[in-house]
Amino acid sequence: MRYIPRLLLIVGAISLAGCDTGPKGSIGFSLPDGDITRGKAAYIEFQCNACHVNEQVPQLDTGAPATISVTLGGETARIKSYGELVTSVINPSHKVARRGSDDMADEGGTSKMVSYNDIMTVSQLIDLVAFVQSSYELSPYSHTNYPVYWLPEPAQKD
Ligand code: HEC
């Protein structure tokens, strides 16, 4: 019986990994290298800085008090992949299930992030992803020191 929770964990891990496969998965997804400088220019042109805080770009003053402020860049334990960043830009509502705060989406779960899909070129998207990704910094990995436990030697059979 006590193996069942472990089995469930393994099945869960396999089905999570399975999200990437199939016709709607991300297998085979690869972006060409983007240009960080052009990405930063696009970031300012599209006014991403109205809702996003990024150390390298001054905040856009829209006159209205900012209701949305999502930090992009800075220290992180894991740099987001191209796939995650592209998805965040072209399909922001995808994150609905994992979103912690209600302010980020309307009642129907649609992200309050504006859609650029009809105005942004693919090159701009590639450059934007390169810029946003470059503004993350991996936080130093800290080791956990686990004490060493010695197992008693099995009793010798004479
Ligand atoms: C009207 C406000 C608004 C604008 C403008 C905006 N965003 Fe967002 N963005 C959001 C919100 C709100 C989220 C929060 C995540 C969500 O919707 O789940 C978000 C999330 C993101 C994320 C994911 C962040 C994370 O940590 O998961 C990325 C990347 C991103 N935006 C990039 C951009 C880029 C690039 C632009 C400009 C082309 C832009 N955004 C413009 C509101 C905005």
Side-chain angles (χ1 to χ4, degrees):
M1 271 312 257
R2 68 198 176 99
Y3 291 110
I4 288 179
R6 212 175 287 174
L7 186 73
L8 284 178
L9 250 177
I10 294 170
V11 171
I14 292 172
S15 49
L16 266 183
C19 289
D20 259 3
T21 57
K24 290 210 164 191
S26 56
I27 282 187
F29 178 81
S30 168
L31 281 187
D33 282 339
D35 182 304
I36 295 175
T37 314
R38 281 205 303 261
K40 186 175 172 184
Y43 187 92
I44 294 167
E45 184 190 328
F46 288 119
Q47 305 193 333
C48 311
N49 48 345
C51 300
H52 290 289
V53 179
N54 182 291
E55 267 184 2
Q56 298 170 52
V57 180
Q59 210 51 39
L60 183 75
D61 186 5
T62 52
T67 48
I68 300 174
S69 175
V70 179
T71 303
L72 293 184
E75 280 210 354
T76 176
R78 183 180 73 87
I79 305 264
K80 290 200 161 76
S81 70
Y82 284 156
E84 289 169 297
L85 292 174
V86 167
T87 305
S88 294
V89 177
I90 65 176
N91 187 11
S93 299
H94 175 71
K95 250 185 110 177
V96 165
R98 281 183 283 147
R99 198 177 287 131
S101 147
D102 291 344
D103 309 342
M104 304 297 173
D106 66 16
E107 285 112 50
T110 306
S111 173
K112 286 189 183 161
M113 178 155 153
V114 283
S115 171
Y116 297 93
N117 293 5
D118 292 329
I119 51 170
M120 188 184 283
T121 68
V122 176
S123 299
Q124 280 171 320
L125 176 66
I126 293 166
D127 295 340
L128 264 171
V129 167
F131 167 66
V132 172
Q133 201 173 45
S134 75
S135 50
Y136 285 100
E137 199 184 316
L138 270 188
S139 45
Y141 179 77
S142 61
H143 287 277
T144 311
N145 283 320
Y146 294 104
V148 179
Y149 294 105
W150 296 103
L151 294 173
E153 295 274 325
Q156 294 263 327
K157 279 193 192 146
D158 299 309

